[in-house]
Amino acid sequence: MSDTVKYVLDESRIPRAWYNIMADLPSPPPPVLHPGTLQPIGPDDLAPLFPMSLIAQEVATEREIGIPDPVRDVYRQWRPSPLYRARRLERALDTPARIYYKYEGVSPAGSHKPNTAVAQAFYNKEEGVKRITTETGAGQWGSSLAFAGTLFGIEIEVYMVRVSYDQKPYRRAMMEAWGARCTPSPSPETAAGRAILAARPDHPGSLGIAISEAVEMAVQRDDTKYALGSVLNHVLLHQTIIGIEAMEQLALAGDYPDIVVGCTGGGSNFAGIAFPFIGANLREGKTTRIVAVEPAACPSLTRGRYAYDFGDTAHLTPLTKMHTLGSVFTPPGFHAGGLRYHGMAPLVSHVKELGLIEARAYQQIGCFEAGLEFARAEGILPAPEANHAVKGAIDEALACKRDGVSRAILFNLCGHGHFDMQAYVDFKAGKLVDQDYDEAELAMALAGLPSAGA
Amino acid sequence: MSDTVKYVLDESRIPRAWYNIMADLPSPPPPVLHPGTLQPIGPDDLAPLFPMSLIAQEVATEREIGIPDPVRDVYRQWRPSPLYRARRLERALDTPARIYYKYEGVSPAGSHKPNTAVAQAFYNKEEGVKRITTETGAGQWGSSLAFAGTLFGIEIEVYMVRVSYDQKPYRRAMMEAWGARCTPSPSPETAAGRAILAARPDHPGSLGIAISEAVEMAVQRDDTKYALGSVLNHVLLHQTIIGIEAMEQLALAGDYPDIVVGCTGGGSNFAGIAFPFIGANLREGKTTRIVAVEPAACPSLTRGRYAYDFGDTAHLTPLTKMHTLGSVFTPPGFHAGGLRYHGMAPLVSHVKELGLIEARAYQQIGCFEAGLEFARAEGILPAPEANHAVKGAIDEALACKRDGVSRAILFNLCGHGHFDMQAYVDFKAGKLVDQDYDEAELAMALAGLPSAGA
């Protein structure tokens, strides 16, 4: 039998609609609250930040939301992304499991992030926005928005956490190659940045500070909006194209997953692969197990509290109910930068509370070992974030071997590791350590949660 | 009209044979000579280095050479590679030209190199070879062979030019991730390496030295062969899958190229896209112009002498007639490491002598400018080598604009720039310079050419 099993969809079969899980949930998620009034926010509260079409998607309840033709047209550059059966990995593991992976690293930015970056750039362009500000940590999101911006002729201003700006010059170079402006945060360009630099001129920055700067720069200009790369409902919505395609590709294979695995940081790639299958569980009585894998050093789903919290450190955002480690929680250093976020997407948190998904946490060394085993079998080197999903899938495949059963396992390989090679260098040099978060720090961060809705 | 125009072939249409240009040439290329006897070499001379099936391909004359099923099976992971029409670039240039590009960066190693690495690994495996040695400069070839080796269960030993080994830890990490052993060259493992280290312990290495080491390590073990990533006839043969697919994809587009452009270092990606179209020119009376673009700092086709020369600095290889700058020529530093070779593939040299192709040389700054213009229009950041082909295509498109004619231009985008971001950082920082080679050095290198067949 052939070793390479790739399920290809003709580009005419790029989905025409995203899947909105709101239509199938037994109960809606708790409302988003205004941090001042503690009342549910309305569209007008978000209008300075987002175009109205995205605000409408944030609260939409219809099951299918059409993908605009110009967005589908850009998707065609790399979509439908391939679904592979991992036969060589199955053989290496000597497992009866049937392992499938959806590969999102084929996008020009190398991850799933352009699925929403392109959509967000389109809707902003349609409403006459000239410029979008955003923040980025490791740079995956910033470069994806830079890619989308150059295609739609929108200026992109990225506030990049300074320590990453200094340590990851290649991601920054990628953003600049696509014409984006990339500024180390904290910066002297904003009041938020100046205040922090005044107190500590060498501040290394944080995602929370970068969000504050990007938001500040968006609200003060009429032709400028803000964009977020995960967490929000509309971002998760755009990512569901991953799971919709995977379902159709698995049908070509004559198979259906017993288990779906994704890694979780803010929650968007996980939701992308998982939500369509959760919907099928809810509507059609399917019994697919849905497994979220998160880093043990930043375990919001497995160790966080389900509570209202801010999305940023500076407390400028609305309050959302989510699994959170507290907005001031600082995880120990680990190499999956895209998973370093204190909270979890409200919709992912909600389905976890409803018992529709499982969650587990892994230390990083085991994830790198899994990633290298995958690379040697399948020929693709995953991003450190994606290694968490690889490890989750391998563990399920080994459980099949132990139990002597063949189950179908689908996981999302959300990006390649080309811009993360230093992590592999450090791993090989024995420099990586498994680190738990600091229990006292977590307790303190949780104690500081706002009391709204508690 | 749609901005993204991608011509997709179903994987059932991966070519079943490579194209052998030897069948269509009006005269055969001059024979390869034994450096001692100056007589044409035979298969036995090459047997210590290569499996017999590859030696047979080196001298084959039939037009089509079947692609073995296990090789096609691996190709299916990323082939057929996409052919795009560059509509956004056409608009940015305001040209009536129809610009198409074949994108080989979709392979797991990020370039066209796996097309031959997979084939070479297969044939070696078939003949019971346990281990393959090779050299690599910037690392594209070494990582491609490492990828192929892990798929076929063959040990790969890469001798990497020491200066690259030190400066490009990420390419090395990629090879090691795929299980290859990567040794900085010169090394104390070989007689050739020890001799050089004795004279100069901090020697930065060269491709010529690395070849000597890899060859030495292959010939002294019965279960070990050697592999080369360009230059040889069988390597060029394997790359013709690029042009064969492109021809079929252009037929889907209802178009045929007036001009085909590729960049040349050793010649393999150029031959890959060009040879099938040269064959059509010869057999069917087509009049496609075929343009080879090389770096002005290492201009073998435009400024070299067509003469017998060694492939390596240490003069261990057979003598081949080719356009050469002299095997001791050292080009000035420039960022397209894959194009830093003193000679040109004998078959590419031969078609140049026959007047079947044109050649031009570009300085690097203009190539980086072209690459960034391409990236902002098309969303893909090219490798520095590929930027030479991009620049060639853009110049032809601007000629169309000047002449007021629409011509179809096809170029080979042979790889992405993810592992070359330092070059883009340096370009943005204004650190790149255009450098001519040293005329005196070239004259000296040419004066040292062997007298065989002169």
Side-chain angles (χ1 to χ4, degrees):
Chain A
M1 183 175 291
S2 170
D3 268 355
T4 303
V5 188
K6 178 172 69 165
Y7 298 98
V8 183
L9 291 180
D10 184 85
E11 63 177 26
S12 68
R13 291 168 81 182
I14 293 174
R16 295 187 178 276
W18 293 297
Y19 167 68
N20 182 9
I21 197 170
M22 300 277 267
D24 291 319
L25 291 176
S27 66
V32 177
L33 303 182
H34 190 285
T37 65
L38 298 187
Q39 294 301 304
I41 61 166
D44 289 350
D45 295 309
L46 296 174
L49 290 180
F50 303 109
M52 288 310 294
S53 40
L54 289 176
I55 294 170
Q57 289 182 358
E58 197 62 19
V59 295
T61 54
E62 59 269 43
R63 181 172 293 123
E64 296 201 331
I65 293 180
I67 304 177
D69 282 342
V71 174
R72 286 185 82 242
D73 186 45
V74 175
Y75 282 172
R76 290 172 58 227
Q77 187 170 354
W78 72 94
R79 305 207 72 86
S81 68
L83 177 84
Y84 293 101
R85 170 122 180 227
R87 273 201 195 280
R88 288 187 292 255
L89 179 64
E90 291 170 16
R91 206 162 48 226
L93 297 172
D94 188 26
T95 174
R98 309 183 306 282
I99 307 175
Y100 300 89
Y101 60 98
K102 181 77 167 163
Y103 184 39
E104 291 292 311
V106 293
S107 82
S111 78
H112 63 293
K113 293 284 186 190
N115 293 335
T116 185
V118 169
Q120 292 191 51
F122 164 77
Y123 288 117
N124 274 283
K125 182 75 177 179
E126 207 183 24
E127 296 190 20
V129 173
K130 295 275 185 291
R131 194 179 299 104
I132 302 177
T133 65
T134 197
E135 70 288 332
T136 201
Q140 271 283 12
W141 166 243
S143 57
S144 297
L145 194 63
F147 161 74
T150 191
L151 298 190
F152 285 100
I154 297 182
E155 291 175 39
I156 304 295
E157 292 181 1
V158 182
Y159 290 83
M160 186 171 189
V161 176
R162 179 182 291 277
V163 61
S164 296
Y165 183 92
D166 292 335
Q167 287 176 355
K168 302 214 165 199
Y170 295 169
R171 269 284 173 203
R172 166 162 51 102
M174 195 84 172
M175 293 183 237
E176 290 171 344
W178 278 322
R181 185 163 160 269
C182 188
T183 305
S185 166
S187 82
E189 296 183 358
T190 66
R194 285 189 295 271
I196 286 161
L197 289 173
R200 184 177 164 190
D202 66 342
H203 197 291
S206 75
L207 213 46
I209 294 166
I211 292 176
S212 303
E213 293 204 281
V215 166
E216 181 181 331
M217 292 302 281
V219 296
Q220 68 188 213
R221 289 175 289 183
D222 282 346
D223 58 358
T224 305
K225 300 284 185 192
Y226 166 77
L228 197 64
S230 188
V231 176
L232 298 178
N233 297 356
H234 69 267
V235 179
L236 275 53
L237 173 77
H238 302 154
Q239 295 296 354
T240 59
I241 193 168
I242 301 170
I244 298 167
E245 285 181 4
M247 199 177 282
E248 197 171 341
Q249 287 163 314
L250 282 168
L252 290 181
D255 213 338
Y256 194 86
D258 299 298
I259 304 157
V260 172
V261 181
C263 64
T264 49
S268 77
N269 101 77
F270 169 77
I273 192 127
F275 279 9
F277 291 96
I278 296 175
N281 281 355
L282 290 168
R283 288 194 315 278
E284 303 164 24
K286 303 273 193 190
T287 57
T288 300
R289 288 174 48 216
I290 313 285
V291 181
V293 182
E294 63 183 8
C298 192
S300 58
L301 272 176
T302 55
R303 302 297 303 274
R305 187 175 299 166
Y306 186 56
Y308 274 101
D309 196 6
F310 292 96
D312 68 329
T313 322
H315 295 182
L316 298 175
T317 68
L319 290 166
T320 51
K321 195 156 185 181
M322 58 183 176
H323 289 89
T324 178
L325 301 164
S327 63
V328 298
F329 176 79
T330 304
F334 61 97
H335 264 293
L339 307 182
R340 293 174 64 86
Y341 186 63
H342 70 275
M344 180 49 56
L347 269 177
V348 173
S349 294
H350 186 55
V351 297
K352 173 70 164 56
E353 283 302 297
L354 291 171
L356 303 178
I357 66 169
E358 308 166 26
R360 69 180 68 148
Y362 285 129
Q363 291 284 2
Q364 65 178 349
I365 289 179
C367 292
F368 274 94
E369 287 167 348
L372 284 170
E373 180 159 26
F374 178 84
R376 285 174 194 180
E378 297 295 317
I380 299 171
L381 192 70
E385 293 82 0
N387 282 343
H388 290 73
V390 173
K391 166 86 169 148
I394 287 179
D395 280 1
E396 291 294 336
L398 294 176
C400 288
K401 181 179 178 178
R402 188 192 60 218
D403 302 344
V405 295
S406 174
R407 299 187 191 103
I409 302 164
L410 167 68
F411 74 96
N412 194 23
L413 191 68
C414 61
H416 62 59
H418 298 176
F419 289 88
D420 307 286
M421 295 309 297
Q422 189 60 47
Y424 285 94
V425 171
D426 291 348
F427 174 75
K428 189 178 154 68
K431 289 185 187 165
L432 295 199
V433 290
D434 285 344
Q435 278 190 284
D436 279 314
Y437 56 88
D438 185 309
E439 289 280 4
E441 158 136 21
L442 176 59
M444 198 173 67
L446 290 176
L449 284 176
S451 56
Chain B
M1 184 175 291
S2 170
D3 268 356
T4 302
V5 188
K6 178 172 68 165
Y7 298 98
V8 184
L9 291 180
D10 183 87
E11 62 176 28
S12 69
R13 291 169 79 183
I14 293 175
R16 295 186 179 276
W18 294 298
Y19 167 68
N20 182 9
I21 197 171
M22 299 277 267
D24 291 321
L25 290 177
S27 66
V32 176
L33 303 183
H34 189 286
T37 66
L38 299 187
Q39 293 302 305
I41 60 165
D44 289 351
D45 295 309
L46 296 173
L49 291 180
F50 304 108
M52 287 311 295
S53 41
L54 290 176
I55 294 170
Q57 288 182 358
E58 197 63 18
V59 295
T61 53
E62 59 267 45
R63 181 172 293 123
E64 297 201 329
I65 294 180
I67 303 176
D69 281 341
V71 173
R72 285 185 82 243
D73 187 45
V74 175
Y75 281 172
R76 290 170 59 226
Q77 187 170 356
W78 71 94
R79 304 208 73 88
S81 67
L83 177 85
Y84 293 102
R85 169 118 181 230
R87 274 200 194 280
R88 288 187 292 254
L89 179 63
E90 291 170 16
R91 206 161 50 225
L93 297 172
D94 188 26
T95 174
R98 312 184 303 284
I99 307 176
Y100 300 89
Y101 59 98
K102 181 76 168 164
Y103 184 38
E104 291 292 311
V106 294
S107 82
S111 78
H112 64 292
K113 293 285 187 191
N115 294 335
T116 185
V118 169
Q120 292 192 51
F122 165 78
Y123 288 117
N124 275 282
K125 182 75 176 181
E126 207 183 23
E127 296 190 20
V129 173
K130 296 274 185 292
R131 195 178 301 103
I132 302 175
T133 64
T134 198
E135 69 289 332
T136 202
Q140 272 283 11
W141 166 244
S143 58
S144 297
L145 194 63
F147 161 74
T150 192
L151 298 190
F152 285 100
I154 296 183
E155 290 175 40
I156 304 296
E157 292 182 1
V158 181
Y159 290 84
M160 187 172 188
V161 175
R162 180 182 291 277
V163 61
S164 296
Y165 184 92
D166 292 335
Q167 286 175 356
K168 302 216 165 197
Y170 294 169
R171 269 285 173 200
R172 166 163 50 103
M174 195 83 170
M175 292 183 237
E176 290 171 344
W178 278 322
R181 185 162 159 270
C182 188
T183 304
S185 166
S187 81
E189 295 182 358
T190 65
R194 285 190 296 272
I196 286 161
L197 289 172
R200 184 176 164 192
D202 65 342
H203 196 291
S206 74
L207 214 46
I209 295 166
I211 293 177
S212 302
E213 292 203 281
V215 166
E216 180 181 332
M217 291 303 280
V219 296
Q220 68 187 213
R221 289 175 289 183
D222 282 345
D223 58 357
T224 305
K225 300 284 185 192
Y226 165 77
L228 196 64
S230 188
V231 176
L232 298 178
N233 298 356
H234 69 267
V235 178
L236 275 53
L237 173 78
H238 301 154
Q239 295 295 353
T240 59
I241 193 167
I242 301 170
I244 298 168
E245 285 181 4
M247 200 177 281
E248 196 171 343
Q249 288 163 313
L250 282 168
L252 290 181
D255 213 338
Y256 194 85
D258 298 299
I259 304 159
V260 172
V261 181
C263 64
T264 49
S268 77
N269 101 76
F270 169 77
I273 192 126
F275 278 10
F277 291 95
I278 295 176
N281 281 355
L282 290 168
R283 287 193 316 277
E284 303 164 22
K286 303 273 193 189
T287 56
T288 300
R289 285 175 49 217
I290 312 285
V291 180
V293 182
E294 63 183 8
C298 192
S300 57
L301 272 177
T302 56
R303 303 297 303 274
R305 186 175 300 165
Y306 185 56
Y308 273 100
D309 196 6
F310 291 96
D312 68 330
T313 320
H315 296 181
L316 298 176
T317 68
L319 290 167
T320 51
K321 195 155 187 183
M322 58 182 176
H323 290 88
T324 179
L325 301 164
S327 63
V328 298
F329 176 79
T330 305
F334 62 97
H335 265 293
L339 307 184
R340 293 174 63 85
Y341 186 63
H342 69 277
M344 180 50 56
L347 269 177
V348 173
S349 294
H350 186 56
V351 297
K352 174 70 165 55
E353 283 302 297
L354 291 172
L356 303 177
I357 66 170
E358 307 166 27
R360 69 179 69 146
Y362 285 129
Q363 290 284 2
Q364 67 178 346
I365 289 178
C367 293
F368 274 93
E369 287 167 349
L372 285 169
E373 180 159 26
F374 179 84
R376 285 173 195 181
E378 297 295 316
I380 298 171
L381 192 70
E385 292 83 0
N387 282 343
H388 290 73
V390 173
K391 165 84 169 149
I394 287 178
D395 280 0
E396 291 294 336
L398 294 176
C400 288
K401 181 179 180 180
R402 187 194 61 217
D403 301 345
V405 295
S406 173
R407 300 187 190 102
I409 301 165
L410 167 67
F411 73 95
N412 194 23
L413 191 68
C414 61
H416 62 58
H418 298 177
F419 289 89
D420 307 286
M421 295 309 296
Q422 188 60 45
Y424 285 94
V425 171
D426 291 347
F427 174 75
K428 190 179 153 68
K431 289 185 188 165
L432 294 200
V433 290
D434 285 344
Q435 279 190 282
D436 281 313
Y437 57 87
D438 185 308
E439 289 280 2
E441 157 135 22
L442 176 59
M444 198 173 67
L446 289 176
L449 284 176
S451 55

